[in-house]
Amino acid sequence: MKLTLYAAIIVLVGVATVATLNQNNVDCPSDRRFLHDLKSLLRLHLGEKIIPLETDSPYWSSSGATFTRWGRTTCPKGNDVVYKGYAGGSHYQAKGGPGTTLCLPEAPIYEKHTSEVSESYIYGSEYQTDSKTSPLHRLYQDDVPCVVCQSHHKTSAIMVPARNECFPGWHLEYKGYLFGGGTGGTGPSDYVCVDSEAEAMPGGKANTNGHLLYMIDGKCGALPCPPYVDGWELTCALCTK
């Protein structure tokens, strides 16, 4: 009870602070970032039971397929939120390190730690859609959100590259564009399917150049053209069954 009251007081103070700083009712990225960080800190110190994650159903399935929706903070209808967070991976100029893009939760839990220098680091992801004709150019240099979802009824999930439709017998959860690390970088990377209606982390539009995600173009050669088209951005689809 005391913790709940404490959390409510902090939230009210935070909302009042934002209202004071932004009296003109203008959508302000720094205000949205402040509220987002405040909620994350509350989950970190008070636990998800105090500020629960959003779910699509009061009945949590223990056997449904799980998948990550890159570029969004909500799950498609028919799925529950396992957790929301931030896309991250190795630095784009790293000469080694893991090559997997991870969805890092909003509220990390630490145990034993040291401030000494490590030999491996993880960085937040940024959209590198610098081309003005890019489908997601509006997100250039923005930080990438993510959400891990669990289906109510589907038991399998696959990401299909180069298609924005699922094969017969499969259900489309979301469609988007294929992203990955730049070929000009030295760091390892993998491929992720970023939602075509992608969003950005609140207040995260800064050129910090950590883990970078570029749209993937098809290149003719061993890849047959047609049916592929040289230089066209590849789509993707997240499908469940």
Side-chain angles (χ1 to χ4, degrees):
M1 182 63 181
K2 290 183 179 180
L3 283 177
T4 304
L5 179 61
Y6 177 66
I9 292 173
I10 293 179
V11 171
L12 287 174
V13 170
V15 172
T17 302
V18 171
T20 302
L21 294 175
N22 186 13
Q23 298 179 357
N24 295 324
N25 242 358
V26 178
D27 182 30
C28 181
S30 61
D31 290 351
R32 286 188 282 113
R33 181 74 185 194
F34 173 77
L35 287 175
H36 179 273
D37 291 346
L38 178 63
K39 186 182 289 186
S40 298
L41 285 172
L42 286 173
R43 286 204 182 99
L44 173 61
H45 293 290
L46 303 180
E48 281 79 4
K49 290 184 179 179
I50 302 299
I51 302 181
L53 292 167
E54 299 83 354
T55 61
D56 187 64
S57 167
Y59 304 103
W60 189 275
S61 170
S62 60
S63 59
T66 59
F67 60 89
T68 302
R69 190 181 194 185
W70 301 101
R72 295 294 297 270
T73 57
T74 58
C75 292
K77 186 177 181 180
N79 299 275
D80 286 327
V81 173
V82 179
Y83 69 88
K84 298 186 295 182
Y86 322 98
S90 295
H91 195 278
Y92 79 105
Q93 289 182 327
K95 295 181 179 179
T100 304
T101 303
L102 296 178
C103 185
L104 300 165
E106 289 181 324
I109 298 175
Y110 291 95
E111 198 166 337
K112 295 180 180 179
H113 62 278
T114 176
S115 58
E116 294 180 6
V117 176
S118 173
E119 294 298 325
S120 188
Y121 299 92
I122 191 165
Y123 298 80
S125 303
E126 287 182 1
Y127 299 106
Q128 292 298 293
T129 51
D130 53 327
S131 173
K132 292 183 179 180
T133 58
S134 170
L136 295 176
H137 175 66
R138 61 184 173 81
L139 296 173
Y140 179 50
Q141 302 292 19
D142 273 318
D143 298 338
V144 184
C146 57
V147 58
V148 176
C149 308
Q150 184 178 39
S151 174
H152 294 171
H153 307 293
K154 306 299 194 310
T155 56
S156 299
I158 59 171
M159 189 275 281
V160 181
R163 286 179 63 93
N164 56 13
E165 298 178 3
C166 296
F167 290 102
W170 290 80
H171 171 73
L172 179 67
E173 296 291 349
Y174 76 90
K175 62 181 181 178
Y177 294 94
L178 197 63
F179 275 71
T183 54
T186 53
S189 68
D190 61 349
Y191 296 101
V192 295
C193 184
V194 174
D195 197 287
S196 58
E197 300 296 329
E199 304 166 337
M201 294 299 303
K205 201 176 191 70
N207 185 20
T208 55
N209 279 343
H211 180 251
L212 305 182
L213 291 177
Y214 295 83
M215 300 190 85
I216 304 296
D217 292 352
K219 197 65 182 172
C220 294
L223 190 67
C225 299
Y228 287 86
V229 181
D230 193 78
W232 282 20
E233 290 84 359
L234 294 177
T235 58
C236 58
L238 198 291
C239 307
T240 56
K241 185 176 182 178

